[in-house]
Each structure stands twice: as structure tokens, then as C-alpha cells.
Amino acid sequence: MHNAAFAALGLDWRYLAFEVDPKNLRAAIEGAKVMGFAGINLTVPHKLLAMEMVDALDDSAKQWGAVNTIKFGGAGVSPADASVHAGGKPALHSVGFNTDADAIVTALREDLKVELRGAKVLLLGAGGAGRTAALKLASEDVAELFLVNRTTSKAEEIAAEIKKQSPSVKVSVGYPKCGVDLILNATSLGLKPDDALPLDEKQFSLNQTRAVYDMIYRPAETKLLATAKAAGCRTANGLGMLLHQGAKAFEIWTGRPAPLAVMRRALEQNIYGH
Ligand code: ATR
């Protein structure tokens, strides 16, 4: 999506993938910085590690405790953050951002027309993606958040964090006794064709929600989404989230509006082949 966007804007830039062992992450970030990269994206497990490896953190990274986007150079950083060499030349520096959290909300609004303020949400999963989603939803003033995870203690930790950060949000661990407006799957269940549903239908029926969002985008329709659709729910997969975290990163690096239609088209072609 980035290469398609660079081409559409006539930028002679390239987006490339590198596999980096976590123990070499600091060296990789420093290397990219001194080689004049405009920026980088990071995925698991680097998002948490990079928090300690950038020169400055944008509020988005501070708030969500993870860095998925780094920008090198001077632009876009407040003078207080940008250290200056004795010679007056701005020092090379790196700034960490998080574009994942906002992308969740943008995708939910765009793809499912969900109004989060006042909504009841059942969130499945309490790994990295689940944690960011839970904290972000709480900050959007959902009315009630139900957290379900295979490892209950991880859901409990997140619930405790939300109680501190967003005391007005009712948060509990376990399946709701009432209907909800949205189920959000942030587990990895559904990536493989023989995976079980991430939801225990004996404890909560898909008839009790209006909409289901699955962060998984490959396959395009997980078992959860197919079952939800059959139950009459509005559904969407995680492509919108992938698009919007990328679009925001693009804007951070280039300072130009992301060509969203071009980027979405490139994603669809690359991921689904049509
Ligand atoms: P990510 O960064 O994508 O969130 P992760 O941190 O490894 O990745 O989290 C994976 C999520 O999927 C977790 O909620 C995990 O549950 P646990 O916290 O109990 O590990 C969930 N998950 C993965 N495999 C699962 C399975 N077979 N059954 C139920 N939940 C599963």
C-alpha cells in the first residue's frame, strides 16, 4: 500500500520489509537513522521494545505504550525534543508514534458505522492488539466493556488499568449477561481454517450483538464473521485497520495526505488477489 501511495504521489520512495532479530533491534533502528531512512514501521514483538530505543516519543506512543511507526529527521518534532549539534545542524533523531489505536476507531466507524460513545462492547483477546483496543475503546467513552481471554489474568490486568485510566467506563472480565452493540475479535483464532471460534457460543450467542469486527484480514471471512453474518450481524474484517494505521504512518513520514483509495486498492490486490 505504501509503494502504491508513493507512486501515486510521484515520490521516489520505497517501502521495504526487513526481518530483524529482537536482539538487533536497537542496531537496526540506529542503522536506518544514519542511512537516511525517512521512517520505519514495526510489528510484534518490536512494538514494545522500541519504546526504549527512540530519542523521543510522540503522545500517541506514550499513551498506548507501543511504537509501530518511527520517523527520522527533524520535521514534525517540537524544538524542545530536537537536540541540536554544536555546529547548529539539527542532530539526527528518531521519534516513536503509535498509529494502531486510532486506526481501530476509524475502521469501526467507517466499516461498521458503530457509535462507540455509550456502546456496550465484548472484546475477545488480551494480547498486544487486545490491550490497545481495550484502552482505546475505554478512552472513546464506551459505556461498558466486557473482556474475555483464554488467559483470564491478562484480561484482569487490562481491566484494572482501565479502571484507573477511564473510571467512568464499566469494565468487567467475562461474558455479558446482556446484549451488546459490538463484538471485537483481537485474538489470533481464525487465522487458520480449523481454528475454533474465538467466542464460546454456549456462553454468548451471536444473536445478542448487532455488529462483529474481526481484526484478522486474511482470510477475508473468518468462521466468526461467517457465523455472525448468518446470524444477521453487520460484519467487517481487519483490512480497514491495516489501511488506516498505514495511512497515518504515511502522513507522518511524508507530511502529505495519504491517498486512501489507492492504498486500499493495493491492499486488496496484494492480499486477496483481486
Ligand atoms: P497480538 O499482538 O496480535 O495481540 P498476542 O499478544 O500473541 O498477539 O495475542 C494473541 C491473542 O490471541 C491472546 O489474547 C491469546 O490468548 P492468551 O492471552 O490466552 O494467550 C489469543 N489466543 C491465541 N491462541 C489462542 C487459542 N488457541 N485459544 C484462545 N485464545 C488464543
Side-chain angles (χ1 to χ4, degrees):
M1 66 174 148
H2 287 294
N3 287 323
F6 296 147
L9 267 62
L11 292 169
D12 186 17
W13 293 31
R14 299 291 182 275
Y15 188 92
L16 302 163
F18 299 92
E19 193 162 329
V20 176
D21 188 294
K23 71 175 188 298
N24 295 326
L25 182 61
R26 190 181 295 277
I29 293 172
E30 288 304 308
K33 177 159 87 175
V34 298
M35 285 192 291
F37 281 44
I40 48 184
N41 273 147
L42 304 148
T43 189
V44 277
H46 300 106
K47 293 184 191 191
L48 299 180
L49 300 172
M51 287 286 289
E52 314 296 325
M53 298 180 187
V54 288
D55 302 323
L57 291 169
D58 178 69
D59 286 346
S60 58
K62 283 185 202 154
Q63 190 169 7
W64 312 115
V67 169
N68 79 321
T69 301
I70 296 177
K71 178 180 169 63
F72 298 114
V77 183
S78 72
D81 286 343
S83 50
V84 173
H85 275 317
K89 259 175 91 183
L92 284 172
H93 62 267
S94 53
V95 186
F97 296 80
N98 185 301
T99 69
D100 287 328
D102 284 354
I104 297 171
V105 170
T106 308
L108 288 173
R109 294 219 166 98
E110 194 169 274
D111 296 340
L112 288 177
K113 313 281 178 276
V114 170
E115 180 44 64
L116 290 171
R117 182 181 293 268
K120 292 181 181 170
V121 182
L122 167 56
L123 176 64
L124 309 171
R131 179 178 172 278
T132 302
L135 298 178
K136 180 67 184 174
L137 290 174
S139 80
E140 293 289 311
D141 292 329
V142 295
E144 227 173 324
L145 203 48
F146 302 90
L147 307 179
V148 168
N149 194 46
R150 175 178 60 180
T151 312
T152 311
S153 60
K154 282 161 74 178
E156 282 164 352
E157 274 168 39
I158 297 171
E161 214 173 325
I162 290 173
K163 279 179 189 150
K164 257 193 276 159
Q165 281 187 14
S166 310
S168 63
V169 175
K170 273 174 81 180
V171 57
S172 55
V173 173
Y175 285 100
K177 304 265 179 287
C178 56
V180 295
D181 300 292
L182 170 71
I183 295 178
L184 179 57
N185 178 41
T187 77
S188 47
L189 280 178
L191 283 170
K192 290 182 256 130
D194 51 355
D195 276 347
L197 277 184
L199 168 99
D200 182 352
E201 284 188 289
K202 287 198 207 87
Q203 303 224 45
F204 194 81
S205 156
L206 286 164
N207 295 315
Q208 295 171 270
T209 183
R210 304 214 296 222
V212 178
Y213 192 90
D214 200 329
M215 288 196 185
I216 295 172
Y217 54 83
R218 186 168 30 209
E221 189 173 73
T222 56
K223 205 179 288 171
L224 174 67
L225 291 185
T227 313
K229 209 184 258 178
C233 307
R234 297 197 308 283
T235 60
N237 73 19
L239 197 83
M241 254 184 76
L242 178 65
L243 169 70
H244 287 292
Q245 63 75 32
K248 187 69 210 270
F250 182 95
E251 292 178 352
I252 288 168
W253 297 323
T254 65
R256 298 179 54 181
L260 279 167
V262 170
M263 295 175 84
R264 187 188 291 278
R265 192 78 208 100
L267 280 179
E268 286 167 353
Q269 272 170 357
N270 280 279
I271 297 172
Y272 306 127
H274 55 79

